[in-house]
Amino acid sequence: MKMKAKNTYRYFRFFVVLIIFVQLSGCKTDDFQKLDERNWELVWSDEFNDAAGRFPDEAKWTFDLGTGDNGWGNAELQSYTKNSQNVSMDGKGNLVITALRNDNSFTSARIKTQGKFSQQYGRFEARLITPYGPGMWPAFWMLGESIETVGWPQCGEIDIMELRGQEPEIINGTLHGPGYSGGNPITKHYGLTNNRFDNDYHIFAIEWDADKIDFFVDDFVYQRVKREDVPGEWVYDAPFFLLFNLAVGGNYVGFPTPETPFPQQLIIDYVRVYREAN
Amino acid sequence: MKKISHNHIKYFALGLVALLLVSCERDLEDLSPARYPSNPDIFIDGFSAGLNYAAFGGSVPTAFDVDQDVTYDGTAASMKFEVPDAGDPRGAYAGGAYFTETPRDLSAYNALTFWAKASQSANIDVLGFGNDMGESGFQVTVLGMPVNTNWKKYIIPVPDPSRLSAEQGMFFYSEGPENDKGYTFWIDELKFENLGTIAHPTFKILNGETKTETSFVGVTKTIDGMRASFNLPTGVDQEVILSPAYFNFQSSDASIATVNEEGVVTVTGGPGSAEISATVGDVEADGELIVQSVGEFEAAPVPDKDPADVISLFSDAYENVPVDYYNGYWEPYQTTLSADFEVDGDHILHYTNFNFVGVQFSSPTIDASEMSHLYFDLYIPNTLPGDAQFKIELVNEGTEGSASYSRTISVSQSQQWISMDISFDDFTGLTDRSRLYQLIFVSENPNMTSFYADNIFFYNNGIAPPPPSEPNTPAPVPTVAAADVVSVFSDSYSAIAGTDLNPSWGQATVVTQIQIEGNNTLKYSGLNYQGIQLGSSQNVSAMTHLHLDFWSANSTSVMVFLISPGPVETSYTLTVPTTGWSSLDIPLSEFAPVDMGDVIQLKFEGNGDIYLDNIYFHK
């Protein structure tokens, strides 16, 4: 998610095959990945187990509404609402954010924990099923709480999961900060082999400490960004809050086409935040 | 699909029979009933083993060829298809099927894939698999697949791979000219694959709609509108048309209706209702048919009119005249659909979503002049929520507007046959029925949403119809050359200038001019006598006859007079009443001793209402 993006992405459709993570059944990923042993302690979570039609817990979440400035900085097409058709529990243990098409206009939803919860360092994870179709842009991401005072990108942005609906098998993990934002962030993709992220739940997470941020899909690290890797200032020693949204169109993803199936849903089973126990 | 004629099939044995290898050794205990080879390849750099090709009937037999120049990714060969220009004597289109002698087990693959390009942007009419030139039970078709001048990968999903354990139809195509012009397209790397990147299958019967149909024991109906949709790796959906064999059909109550594996529903009992639904694999298809059986079919009464007195539009009891259609689907306001059915050879029209519907019989139109009534049987299968206002319109070619008859059908008349037996006299505005070409049913309130109709015909009840009180058609157009005419009243000739058609001679007759299909006609109502004062004295001694066209339904006596100064006048008696226009050429000698060199007036005497046209002297 880019707060203010001037997108200079070139579209490399097959770039993902350069990074091939073959997950072999019967093989533990730990056999391949030597990760430090951690002892995570749950701090905050939302399991989204309310009755169907209910809004997210107001003690935890607040809503972004409307079309923002220039489509939330990215020429996005949707208007965010607090309408149960766009955001509500499904009664089966999920929060569902639904993008709807009404002729050439779109509605969807964006929720965030700004002012309600934020944390510096730890493990931040969500289990979810992505939407699909050209122009669909779901995201699970974080912003530095200092956005109100220092602005973007100085506050820092951690995109734990973003997906372009025309590439339903590829997700992206990204950092935006001063000197490396918009079309020039620190980013990496992760692609499934002969599968797609909208077929079933997957767990998307980061593990973040003073030295580094690791990006995970299903407990597999596909990107590690160390403090010294950052081409600008390391702005990740401050509390960040969480966001979920489903954008339609915009610089990052392109426009939906007449063939894009609607409605589309971002189905979130849970979001959990841990800190490292001593 | 173009029809395949087996007479036109040419078989090309392509490739050799290859060894079919099974990649793993198997334990004897694992052996299940003999399996067919699972070779997924159709055309990679040449044909796979055991493949045959047959061109479809009427297509260009040589449209398909192997091309070694234009290939995908520089491989050895591709499949080339030459689509003919319109009017090509060799065939109207390119089309054919690739099939194997020995079935293949394709159940491990969920898609047919290939790369394709074309010499121009085009939409290939038909591509698919499952056409084995025989029963083709598991056929899948994509219509209008867009191709352009770049190689692109295409995916045709397999709706339920488990069904393809013994498939012979590997691939088929059919494409006609684009805007009458031929072009070429190529296909390469044609094979079945198992793709994890195809998602979200949905299936439809009846195009995903829920349809409710009132029906009877013995009625059969075939479920149609079978579609499947899959989300491709690009995030867009691909729709395919699939054969009924992919579906498992179920009836919620077999004592009301059954459904066979072809999707043919047969109503077996009633009254009661049954829902017909379907699944593909574990996935429930959208759409269902709700059969509301009334029970045993009650046929409409058998018509008892003598066929000689009947002009039938729709009946199994009579020979029907040519009818263009029984539902014109008149856009944009018509909502009425047709769900016609047949019970034991008795055909019934069934209109649903009724607002209005037209039956047309324009080639030829129907001359119902000799008929007296419109008859049809009407059945409203649902209980009416209130009295229905039903209107029937008849349209005659050349007549402005339509004639109409409205009737209230009470709630108590639903669910029984109603005999609609309507005299033409009861139609408002039916001035002529000699060229009828449309019958229109109109619902004037929302209560009547569907009905059956049977035995629609015109008949003559044997009682001579009362003659019309006014001519329907204009008098015949005169054919005498203008140079040979001195005209008093006619649209065909210049009349004598200054003629007074209604001089005030103290008569009671009311004189008017009416237009019949645009033709000015002189009308004398309540004739006692009536003069015509010529604009000037006429010397008609060079003429031989006085011509008149006259029409009357009620006059018993009419005489015409010529008058010369004196006055000298002589009468001539016309034959009335008429059965249509009478044309008369009266020799001027009949009017002696009137002076033909100095005719100044005409006069009519008699009674009733008469119509006159084309009054002129001629030779």
Side-chain angles (χ1 to χ4, degrees), chain A residues 13-14 130 132-134 165-169 192-196 198-199 257 259-261, chain B residues 110 115 193-202 229-238:
Chain A
R13 191 179 178 77
F14 299 107
T130 64
Y132 60 94
Q166 59 268 42
E167 298 172 332
E169 78 283 19
L192 293 174
T193 302
N194 209 20
N195 202 346
R196 18 198 289 182
D198 53 339
N199 270 340
T257 70
E259 286 76 37
T260 302
Chain B
N110 69 353
W115 290 78
E193 285 191 78
N194 188 31
L195 297 176
T197 49
I198 298 176
H200 313 298
T202 59
S229 174
F230 295 82
N231 197 255
L232 299 181
T234 51
V236 301
D237 289 337
Q238 175 69 56

Side-chain angles (χ1 to χ4, degrees), chain B residues 49-66:
Chain B
L51 207 63
N52 299 318
Y53 173 68
F56 291 154
S59 72
V60 177
T62 55
F64 160 67
D65 202 354
V66 173

Side-chain angles (χ1 to χ4, degrees), chain A residues 141-273:
Chain A
W141 55 302
M142 300 169 71
L143 280 169
E145 213 176 20
S146 63
I147 190 168
E148 299 286 352
T149 52
V150 303
W152 188 91
Q154 185 63 38
C155 63
E157 175 180 327
I158 304 170
D159 300 329
I160 303 170
M161 187 286 305
E162 290 181 284
L163 174 137
R164 296 180 178 94
Q166 59 268 42
E167 298 172 332
E169 78 283 19
I170 298 169
I171 63 99
N172 302 268
T174 305
L175 294 181
H176 297 269
Y180 52 99
S181 67
N184 187 32
I186 301 168
T187 187
K188 219 165 212 183
H189 349 245
Y190 176 83
L192 293 174
T193 302
N194 209 20
N195 202 346
R196 18 198 289 182
F197 285 105
D198 53 339
N199 270 340
D200 207 346
Y201 288 102
H202 293 273
I203 296 170
F204 304 91
I206 59 158
E207 291 182 6
W208 165 30
D209 61 28
D211 302 323
K212 62 181 183 298
I213 302 172
D214 287 340
F215 289 79
F216 292 79
V217 172
D218 299 328
D219 287 336
F220 189 86
V221 180
Y222 67 94
Q223 174 171 226
R224 168 169 290 184
V225 183
K226 294 181 190 163
R227 195 177 188 96
E228 58 267 29
D229 295 337
V230 174
E233 187 186 346
W234 173 267
V235 291
Y236 309 99
D237 295 322
F240 276 54
F241 62 87
L242 295 158
L243 302 95
F244 284 102
N245 71 298
L246 173 49
V248 180
N251 299 326
Y252 179 81
V253 66
F255 295 113
T257 70
E259 286 76 37
T260 302
F262 276 90
Q264 281 297 321
Q265 297 184 325
L266 171 60
I267 302 167
I268 309 161
D269 180 20
Y270 62 71
V271 53
R272 294 170 185 165
V273 180

